[in-house]
Amino acid sequence: MLEDDFTYVLRKALTGNGMSPAEAGRRAGIPANEVLALLGGTFSAGTARALAPVLGLNVEAFARHDGYEPRALGIGGVERLDLPFGGERVNAWRVGAVLFDAGFRATDLMNALGRMPERVFITHAHPDHVAAVGDFLKAGVPVHSADLEGSIRMKPGDAVVCGPLTVRACDLSGHAAPSLGYHVEGLERPVLVTGDALFAGSMGGCGSPANYRHALGRLREVLGPLPDETVLLPGHGPATSLGEERSGNPFL
């Protein structure tokens, strides 16, 4: 199940463009009530097609978003830990002996883990991703992040060798600042842990048009050189592939 349906995509795009539903409708040449209907959960491919160019979205991806679901991915050595976050869900990802992100409640993560990871990498410091950091630090597990107290600080371009894996940080700020993504080399396919910068079919919300533009710029910079086969591991929702997101994600 996707983290964001089409209503969230529209809301995030409106906020990112600093545009009201009425203004978006005016620019698209459609009545404001059609925009409001889409925001309210009534999907119309025609309305989505009209709005997409105004909002800078991929037209065909937005027009098909109501039926978009990436194919299930199975890649050896990668395990999704699907954890509770209030009434929602949040991911941590175990890749070999390494863990990416640390959940919203430490007990939920520890119960799901079963055993301590060798290292932990944090994408960003929002509460739903860092709950068990203190437990790992107390246990002597190295924790890597951009800015968390007690962690080993990483900046874009830094790399850590973890047995057969190499984890390399990149800048995926925008939804949060700082925010790191992590390229993982040494598996059967290239992997990018995106945190909340990118979800299947969507992206993390940005609090201002400036942050939104920055987030899109970082995504283009980081994703641009990567092959379609790259597996994307987001902070919420299912894993996906870059190839599917290039055709199915309205923000790309």
Side-chain angles (χ1 to χ4, degrees), residues 46-146:
T47 302
R49 284 182 197 279
L51 286 171
V54 169
L55 296 171
L57 298 176
N58 178 316
V59 175
E60 291 306 312
F62 195 30
R64 297 193 307 266
H65 196 274
D66 191 37
Y68 179 61
E69 191 77 32
R71 290 169 292 177
L73 288 174
I75 176 170
V78 175
E79 179 186 2
R80 178 188 181 189
L81 305 179
D82 181 14
L83 305 167
F85 166 40
E88 303 176 22
R89 312 294 293 182
V90 64
N91 294 333
W93 294 94
R94 180 157 42 194
V95 181
V98 173
L99 183 72
F100 293 92
D101 282 337
F104 181 62
R105 291 196 309 182
T107 52
D108 293 325
L109 178 64
M110 293 306 185
N111 289 338
L113 270 176
R115 67 182 187 278
M116 281 289 185
E118 292 182 5
R119 289 183 182 270
V120 178
F121 294 85
I122 300 296
T123 60
H124 63 295
H126 287 173
D128 50 329
H129 296 270
V130 298
V133 165
D135 298 71
F136 293 131
L137 292 173
K138 287 176 185 176
V141 176
V143 176
H144 301 260
S145 80

Side-chain angles (χ1 to χ4, degrees), residues 2-88:
L2 296 183
E3 169 67 8
D4 287 354
D5 67 11
F6 60 88
T7 66
Y8 283 86
V9 170
L10 178 55
R11 188 175 298 114
K12 289 177 178 181
L14 287 169
T15 300
N17 283 278
M19 202 177 295
S20 69
E23 174 68 7
R26 185 187 67 78
R27 295 191 185 193
I30 59 176
N33 66 335
E34 292 187 16
V35 184
L36 293 172
L38 199 65
L39 271 176
T42 301
F43 186 75
S44 162
T47 302
R49 284 182 197 279
L51 286 171
V54 169
L55 296 171
L57 298 176
N58 178 316
V59 175
E60 291 306 312
F62 195 30
R64 297 193 307 266
H65 196 274
D66 191 37
Y68 179 61
E69 191 77 32
R71 290 169 292 177
L73 288 174
I75 176 170
V78 175
E79 179 186 2
R80 178 188 181 189
L81 305 179
D82 181 14
L83 305 167
F85 166 40
E88 303 176 22

Side-chain angles (χ1 to χ4, degrees), residues 192-215:
L192 174 63
V193 181
T194 63
D196 287 357
L198 188 76
F199 308 139
S202 189
M203 65 182 287
C206 299
S208 70
N211 289 349
Y212 179 75
R213 290 191 296 271
H214 177 79

